[in-house]
Amino acid sequence: MSGTNILQGAENVVVSGSTLNATNTINYNYSNRTTFDAVIPLKPNSSTRFTGRTEVIAKLKDHFIGANDQLRIRKYFLLHGMGGIGKTQICLRFIEEMSDNFSHVFWIDASSTSTITQGLKGICNLPEAQSGGLDGSSESALLWIGSLRENYVVVFDNADVLTPEELEQYFPPGLSGNILITSRNSAMQCLTSPTNCLEVKEMAENDAIILLLKASCLDMSSDLQKEASKIVKELFCLPLAIDQAGAIIRSGAINIKDYLGIYFEQRKTLLSHPEFKGASKYNRTVYGSWELLYKEIQQRTQSDDFDKARAAKNAILILAIFSFFHHGGISEDIFSNAAIQKGQTRKEKKRWLGFLLRKSTLPLASAKLDHRLLSLNDAGSWNNFMFKEGVQLLISFCFIRLGSHDGEYAVHPLIHAWYRDRMTSKERKEFCLMGYVMLACSLHEDFDKQPYSFRRGLVTHVKANIQHSKSLKQEATESYFDDASEKFVWILREQGYPKEAEILAIMIVDARRKILGKNQPTTIRAVESLAGIYRDMGRYAEALKLQKQCLDMRMKLLGREHSHTITTMANLGHTYENMGKYREAEELETKVLDARMRILGKDHPDTTTAMENLAITYRGMGKYEEAANLQRQCLDARIKFLGKEHLYTITAMATLGHTYENLGKYREAEELETKVLDASMRILGKDHPHTTHAMGNLAVTYRDLGKYTEAERLQKQCLDTRMRLLGEEHPYTITAMAGLGHTYENMGKYKEAEELETKVLDARIRVLGNDHPDTTTAMGNLAVTYRDLGKYADAEKLQKQCLDIRVRQLGEEHPYTITAISSLAHTFQCMGKYREAEELETHVLDARMRILGKEHPETTTAMEYLAKTYGSLGKYAEAEQLQKQCLDARTTLLGEEHPLTFRTMEYLAYTYKNLEKYQEAEQLESQVLNGRIKIFGESHQFTIWAMKNLAVTYRQMGKDTDAEILDMCVEDAEKGM
């Protein structure tokens, strides 16, 4: 509109009537009017580098210039967010774009009551205002603004420190006009309503890249965009930080390619350098923006108002502790649990008195716990009042924000870094230790009984705190606390971080051996814990050595029948089972079960656990019926004593389902695993690890049943959940990815399988190292997919690598080593290297017969593969002999209707056809077809393959009519797939 009066720019304007004109100096023509001692508040220009924020500006336009604009009822809006996030720049750009819609724009610096008062007094000097007879006071300015009949807007910018009540006093009277507020304090929404406010968050990454390159005066070439992308990610897309980085690069002080390297070393300097303030309209750096508000909190600690001073002191303490946690997902439960730990009842203290006396010479974190935020109420629960008042103050200053769940908080990563950077070295060590102790005390002695979600959240803070401690270069003697280390080893192991657990476990062993002696029970327990970690990491030889030492000491000190001795024996048996030394594992686990039965009785939970462990070893030995028998007993006992819905009962059901799957009883396995998944979902929730594990098990059974779509759906769900909760690098996530890759391979989606399995192998190498058994397994899986893709050279290379590692780590006789030889032989066969394949497969069969016995399923599989190679070499008689043995073994062990039995029948039928024994081939293939229809249905891929094989045999026998009928059945079945 032509009569617009916009106070445009901090200089270069002349005010004449109701219009603005550019000039080199400011000249006010007041005639005989009285002028007052105040400067007219001028709206700054927005930055020429302003980028993005289209959605926010669109929301402002829709609110202020919407369809109801003709009503002229006052509208309010709040933009809130942390310092440096770009609130001011958004408002400036909005006002500039919509200038024709406002008759007047009044831009007020609302950082304090004095800046607001000065701004309003300055408005009295406007020619238009003077004609209203103002007396130069802020009150008269407000009255004049309120009297304006046109559509004005007042922008209260930077209202960070004032309370909503203090700011409201400066609203013009009346119901006309518009009020736009920017503040770090989200509580200001009580002046606007929750619907008329918006939190300004970090920029979109693409917009942030554009801003950085604009600010750096660099072009948009792809190479520079890649460098810019790295920088904006590290700056978390915070506009002021990005603009400031651009200013430094533009000055020539740092090249864009060198910025991050220098930033990691000189972050505090770069984010607080006074020469590089970016587009801040308040002449502040990134760190300076936060420092100003922090000083306000510090000043409040000196207040005569006791409550106000206490809240400020608590806020400073909380922010200091938060700075040495992970920046997100900080739960109140950490403080609540630590408070309860501090206030243990007398009974609990007595229960742990003996344990503490034994450890009295070891440093304990619980002795260092700061109690200031941990008072208890009369009921013995945490009194969170002081914590809450401190948190609310930090939220109002936007130093922290509410998290995604109730009682959860987050700190912006740059604020997180700023607060540590402003501390002295001594303060960093003090508060890092305070955070460490708080985390340790929040994890109770019965930590496995605390909610899993709490433990999962806590481990991220434990890892972050340990990393901060390392960066401070604290000596081990300074940072070692026996109780904290023991708890953290447990939680790091549980959550899949064995490397981090190992470091702490070694510290515990060293400290206890030095101070308590190697024969002290808690020292032996620490050694056993370290051995368990080595087992988790696939370092079986190291685990075995330590566990044998522990068993010898337990026997010597406690005797054979002591519960600790038997537990140590069970742990050693577990390691033997992992190593594939099933005979040794069986021997030990049988002793453990006998001892448990004799000493504790058949109904004791430890006896049931021993039964479960022996069953797992039986399964590894191929003794599936013996395993299933024990697991059914175990399940019955768990149901009887714990109920159907207890976690241990559900676990027993899951292990039995796994064995049914090994037996080829897929329907029984599916039924049990469906129950397990339903119970886990209902009792533990969809995000619990047991639930996602149950999902993965059921998916494997679906895959064995040929229900690939259902398997794929479950595995994607499992992978998504683990990615969201655990992150891309967690071992459970990688396992889920591997499972999905296997399903893709079965579905013939070899490209998708290759992509996932490549990621799995890369992640295994990065997280676990080249020599971990899981890494070698990933290598083997990818090699199989390469073979399916016809990439035989790539498959051969990986399989040879895999075999070398297996031989070096596990020896030539380990089942995994033999499997690696078998896989390589299969690739040789696909490559037409039949002699090499025959040699390897003969070695595999001999090893299986010698180590596992002739009735083991793996022995039968070895027999089958060698027979297939004999067929490729034209040795049909030798192939027939082996395949008949294989069929007898499969029928005896698995039954006539097991999928593997059908596969053996197919292979034997193929050999019969080569031997021109068509009648025998027809009989077998008819049996396979009928069985497949019964188990899988007519439209299943396995059934269709059986139809096609039989059709070929019919043609060879001259039964063309029968072959044509089958061809039509195949066509119909493929349509129904």
Side-chain angles (χ1 to χ4, degrees):
M1 51 176 52
S2 59
T4 303
N5 181 12
I6 309 248
L7 304 176
Q8 191 78 273
E11 53 186 348
N12 303 336
V13 298
V14 98
V15 180
S16 177
S18 61
T19 60
L20 294 170
N21 300 299
T23 183
N24 290 327
T25 57
I26 300 176
N27 297 305
Y28 298 118
N29 182 7
Y30 295 141
S31 302
N32 295 322
R33 296 187 179 96
T34 303
T35 59
F36 306 106
D37 186 18
V39 178
I40 298 173
L42 301 173
K43 181 189 80 65
N45 291 320
S46 68
S47 170
T48 57
R49 300 182 294 278
F50 184 88
T51 303
R53 303 300 198 175
T54 53
E55 291 182 6
V56 182
I57 291 175
K59 190 168 179 73
L60 289 174
K61 289 178 180 178
D62 183 64
H63 179 73
F64 286 111
I65 320 294
N68 296 326
D69 187 45
Q70 67 275 11
L71 298 177
R72 291 287 184 261
I73 297 173
R74 179 176 293 176
K75 297 176 182 177
Y76 299 86
F77 202 89
L78 167 69
L79 288 180
H80 64 94
M82 63 183 287
I85 205 71
K87 303 180 295 294
T88 298
Q89 287 295 328
I90 290 169
C91 285
L92 290 170
R93 182 53 60 98
F94 164 68
I95 294 296
E96 288 168 4
E97 289 186 7
M98 305 308 295
S99 60
D100 287 348
N101 292 275
F102 298 116
S103 59
H104 302 75
V105 175
F106 303 105
W107 192 276
I108 304 294
D109 175 3
S111 53
S112 67
T113 54
S114 62
T115 58
I116 296 176
T117 302
Q118 285 296 31
L120 290 172
K121 287 180 178 179
I123 287 172
C124 293
N125 283 324
L126 286 171
E128 188 178 355
Q130 289 208 343
S131 64
L134 276 64
D135 62 6
S137 67
S138 57
E139 292 79 6
S140 65
L142 288 172
L143 287 170
W144 173 72
I145 294 170
S147 70
L148 295 173
R149 295 182 180 180
E150 296 186 68
N151 190 34
Y152 67 83
V153 60
V154 181
V155 180
F156 289 100
D157 186 37
N158 201 32
D160 299 331
V161 177
L162 302 184
T163 64
E165 294 76 19
E166 289 171 329
L167 181 63
E168 190 175 24
Q169 295 177 26
Y170 296 100
F171 287 178
L175 297 175
S176 61
N178 304 280
I179 305 290
L180 177 56
I181 305 165
T182 75
S183 176
R184 302 188 194 195
N185 188 358
S186 60
M188 286 288 180
Q189 65 185 277
C190 68
L191 300 175
T192 64
S193 84
T195 56
N196 296 336
C197 71
L198 182 68
E199 181 181 4
V200 181
K201 296 184 178 178
E202 295 84 352
M203 301 181 77
E205 186 179 330
N206 285 341
D207 290 338
I209 290 169
I210 293 169
L211 173 59
L212 178 60
L213 293 177
K214 276 185 179 180
S216 305
C217 293
L218 296 172
D219 60 45
M220 295 293 293
S221 69
S222 59
D223 286 346
L224 290 177
Q225 285 188 54
K226 287 178 184 177
E227 293 297 329
S229 175
K230 296 174 190 174
I231 294 171
V232 300
K233 284 177 182 175
E234 197 60 41
L235 296 175
F236 299 93
C237 295
L238 184 72
L240 182 56
I242 293 165
D243 202 43
Q244 198 169 316
I248 295 171
I249 294 166
R250 184 175 68 244
S251 73
I254 301 175
N255 183 282
I256 190 170
K257 293 182 179 179
D258 300 329
Y259 182 86
L260 277 184
I262 296 171
Y263 173 82
F264 290 136
E265 295 179 0
Q266 303 289 332
R267 179 180 58 209
K268 181 178 180 181
T269 301
L270 294 182
L271 293 181
S272 59
H273 200 293
E275 292 183 19
F276 304 111
K277 300 181 179 65
S280 170
K281 294 304 172 185
Y282 294 96
N283 204 31
R284 294 176 197 156
T285 62
V286 175
Y287 275 11
S289 174
W290 299 325
E291 196 66 39
L292 192 70
L293 279 187
Y294 184 71
K295 286 178 179 175
E296 170 66 23
I297 297 179
Q298 286 181 312
Q299 287 174 5
R300 292 189 185 191
T301 64
Q302 306 302 317
S303 172
D304 293 335
D305 184 329
F306 177 79
D307 292 335
K308 188 175 182 180
R310 183 187 60 207
K313 289 175 184 176
N314 289 335
I316 288 172
L317 178 60
I318 291 167
L319 190 57
I321 295 172
F322 278 15
S323 295
F324 293 95
F325 292 170
H326 181 64
H327 60 78
I330 303 172
S331 171
E332 282 183 17
D333 289 340
I334 294 171
F335 294 82
S336 174
N337 289 336
I340 293 168
Q341 174 88 340
K342 174 184 76 76
Q344 280 181 321
T345 63
R346 186 181 301 275
K347 182 179 178 181
E348 287 173 320
K349 284 182 178 178
K350 283 181 178 179
R351 182 165 64 90
W352 287 102
L353 182 59
F355 177 69
L356 291 174
L357 284 174
R358 287 197 303 273
K359 294 171 61 174
S360 60
T361 51
L362 291 166
L364 300 177
S366 52
K368 298 277 187 180
L369 185 62
D370 189 295
H371 298 165
R372 280 176 284 178
L373 298 167
L374 306 178
S375 60
L376 299 175
N377 57 29
D378 293 339
S381 299
W382 179 45
N383 181 355
N384 65 0
F385 177 78
M386 289 195 293
F387 176 85
K388 284 288 191 183
E389 68 177 1
V391 159
Q392 288 305 316
L393 183 58
L394 292 172
I395 290 173
S396 70
F397 279 74
C398 221
F399 282 128
I400 67 173
R401 63 177 65 162
L402 293 172
S404 54
H405 303 289
D406 288 343
E408 192 176 275
Y409 307 96
V411 187
H412 190 280
L414 287 183
I415 291 180
H416 206 230
W418 155 74
Y419 199 68
R420 289 194 304 276
D421 286 345
R422 74 178 307 280
M423 292 180 182
T424 64
S425 176
K426 182 181 177 183
E427 287 172 332
R428 286 190 204 111
K429 287 186 177 182
E430 176 189 349
F431 289 113
C432 184
L433 176 59
M434 193 180 293
Y436 185 89
V437 168
M438 186 73 72
L439 293 170
C441 290
S442 73
L443 198 59
H444 294 171
E445 299 293 351
D446 294 331
F447 27 67
D448 57 331
K449 294 181 181 177
Q450 291 180 277
Y452 179 84
S453 57
F454 171 72
R455 303 199 305 267
R456 178 61 212 161
L458 190 74
V459 77
T460 60
H461 302 302
V462 170
K463 285 183 66 189
N465 185 275
I466 290 172
Q467 194 57 45
H468 288 312
S469 181
K470 284 182 183 175
S471 68
L472 295 173
K473 297 180 180 176
Q474 288 184 322
E475 296 294 328
T477 51
E478 294 178 46
S479 58
Y480 179 76
F481 292 95
D482 193 73
D483 51 347
S485 297
E486 187 169 54
K487 292 175 182 178
F488 291 163
V489 164
W490 183 87
I491 197 171
L492 287 165
R493 275 190 73 187
E494 183 204 38
Q495 297 299 326
Y497 301 105
K499 288 182 181 178
E500 292 87 341
E502 180 195 8
I503 294 167
L504 286 179
I506 290 171
M507 288 173 64
I508 296 172
V509 170
D510 290 345
R512 290 185 183 177
R513 278 176 173 169
K514 182 179 178 181
I515 298 171
L516 303 177
K518 66 179 183 178
N519 292 330
Q520 215 274 344
T522 54
T523 305
I524 298 171
R525 188 177 70 198
V527 174
E528 284 186 311
S529 177
L530 178 58
I533 293 166
Y534 285 149
R535 187 176 60 215
D536 293 344
M537 298 172 79
R539 290 158 62 177
Y540 301 128
E542 293 164 270
L544 195 66
K545 180 181 177 183
L546 290 182
Q547 286 171 329
K548 284 181 175 179
Q549 290 175 14
C550 288
L551 183 57
D552 289 343
M553 283 190 281
R554 294 284 197 204
M555 290 268 207
K556 182 179 177 182
L557 295 171
L558 304 173
R560 291 176 177 274
E561 302 268 286
H562 194 281
S563 61
H564 290 172
T565 306
I566 297 168
T567 298
T568 303
M569 197 180 291
N571 290 335
L572 180 56
H574 190 180
T575 300
Y576 277 139
E577 189 266 331
N578 282 175
M579 295 176 78
K581 294 188 174 184
Y582 299 123
R583 298 295 178 196
E584 293 89 334
E586 180 187 17
E587 183 182 350
L588 277 182
E589 286 166 349
T590 301
K591 286 181 180 178
V592 169
L593 179 56
D594 290 345
R596 295 293 195 206
M597 292 277 277
R598 189 174 60 257
I599 299 166
L600 303 175
K602 65 177 183 177
D603 295 333
H604 193 280
D606 288 348
T607 306
T608 312
T609 300
M611 203 180 288
E612 203 165 44
N613 291 339
L614 179 57
I616 289 170
T617 296
Y618 280 155
R619 191 167 64 203
M621 298 174 79
K623 296 181 176 182
Y624 299 134
E625 289 295 353
E626 291 93 327
N629 183 43
L630 276 184
Q631 288 167 334
R632 280 190 286 264
Q633 290 180 52
C634 181
L635 179 57
D636 290 342
R638 293 260 165 93
I639 291 172
K640 181 179 177 181
F641 293 102
L642 302 175
K644 289 184 178 181
E645 305 248 297
H646 193 281
L647 180 59
Y648 290 170
T649 307
I650 297 168
T651 301
M653 202 179 290
T655 55
L656 178 57
H658 191 174
T659 301
Y660 279 152
E661 192 226 335
N662 289 145
L663 280 163
K665 296 182 176 181
Y666 298 132
R667 296 298 178 195
E668 293 89 333
E670 180 184 14
E671 182 182 350
L672 274 184
E673 287 164 353
T674 301
K675 285 181 181 177
V676 169
L677 180 56
D678 290 344
S680 297
M681 291 279 277
R682 186 174 63 256
I683 299 164
L684 303 172
K686 64 179 182 177
D687 290 342
H688 195 280
H690 285 299
T691 306
T692 51
H693 190 66
M695 221 175 266
N697 288 342
L698 180 55
V700 170
T701 299
Y702 279 154
R703 189 168 66 209
D704 289 336
L705 282 164
K707 296 182 176 182
Y708 297 130
T709 305
E710 292 91 329
E712 181 186 10
R713 176 183 57 80
L714 272 186
Q715 286 170 326
K716 281 183 173 178
Q717 202 175 328
C718 179
L719 180 57
D720 289 345
T721 302
R722 287 186 173 166
M723 289 275 274
R724 174 169 50 83
L725 295 177
L726 306 177
E728 293 185 6
E729 303 272 272
H730 195 281
Y732 292 170
T733 307
I734 300 167
T735 299
M737 202 179 287
L740 180 57
H742 193 174
T743 297
Y744 280 150
E745 195 256 338
N746 283 175
M747 296 173 80
K749 295 183 175 181
Y750 300 129
K751 289 295 183 187
E752 293 90 332
E754 180 186 16
E755 183 182 347
L756 273 186
E757 286 166 352
T758 302
K759 285 182 180 177
V760 168
L761 180 55
D762 290 344
R764 292 293 195 205
I765 291 171
R766 191 169 56 253
V767 177
L768 301 175
N770 288 304
D771 290 343
H772 193 281
D774 289 346
T775 305
T776 318
T777 299
M779 204 178 284
N781 290 341
L782 179 57
V784 170
T785 299
Y786 280 156
R787 187 170 64 210
D788 291 334
L789 284 164
K791 297 181 176 182
Y792 300 129
D794 294 335
E796 181 185 5
K797 181 182 176 183
L798 268 188
Q799 286 168 333
K800 284 182 175 177
Q801 247 181 287
C802 180
L803 179 56
D804 289 344
I805 295 169
R806 294 293 197 204
V807 170
R808 176 165 46 85
Q809 283 190 333
L810 305 174
E812 293 184 359
E813 302 266 284
H814 192 281
Y816 291 172
T817 307
I818 307 300
T819 299
I821 295 171
S822 177
S823 188
L824 178 59
H826 194 176
T827 299
F828 281 155
Q829 200 206 51
C830 292
M831 297 172 78
K833 296 181 177 181
Y834 301 126
R835 293 298 177 194
E836 293 91 331
E838 180 187 14
E839 183 182 348
L840 287 183
E841 284 164 352
T842 301
H843 175 76
V844 168
L845 180 56
D846 290 345
R848 295 294 196 206
M849 292 279 278
R850 187 175 63 257
I851 299 166
L852 301 176
K854 65 180 182 179
E855 294 182 352
H856 193 282
E858 293 294 344
T859 306
T860 312
T861 299
M863 204 179 286
E864 193 169 62
Y865 284 158
L866 179 56
K868 191 175 180 184
T869 298
Y870 280 157
S872 299
L873 285 164
K875 296 182 177 182
Y876 300 125
E878 292 91 331
E880 179 187 11
Q881 183 184 356
L882 276 185
Q883 285 165 339
K884 281 181 176 179
Q885 290 180 46
C886 186
L887 181 56
D888 288 343
R890 288 263 159 90
T891 304
T892 302
L893 183 64
L894 304 175
E896 290 187 355
E897 297 194 338
H898 192 284
L900 290 178
T901 308
F902 289 145
R903 188 179 76 182
T904 305
M905 285 180 186
E906 280 184 321
Y907 288 166
L908 179 56
Y910 183 76
T911 300
Y912 280 151
K913 283 188 277 192
N914 282 304
L915 289 165
E916 298 184 357
K917 295 181 179 182
Y918 299 121
Q919 295 290 344
E920 291 89 334
E922 179 191 10
Q923 183 182 351
L924 283 179
E925 287 174 341
S926 296
Q927 197 174 336
V928 170
L929 178 56
N930 290 331
R932 293 255 171 94
I933 290 171
K934 181 179 177 182
I935 295 172
F936 299 115
E938 292 184 2
S939 296
H940 195 282
Q941 185 64 60
F942 293 165
T943 310
I944 293 169
W945 288 340
M947 286 182 195
K948 288 179 177 179
N949 289 336
L950 183 55
V952 169
T953 303
Y954 280 152
R955 285 196 173 84
Q956 289 173 325
M957 296 175 73
K959 296 182 177 182
D960 293 339
T961 303
D962 292 338
E964 288 173 7
I965 291 170
L966 272 183
D967 288 341
M968 287 188 286
C969 289
V970 168
E971 189 177 339
D972 291 342
E974 286 179 337
K975 288 178 182 177
M977 285 180 68

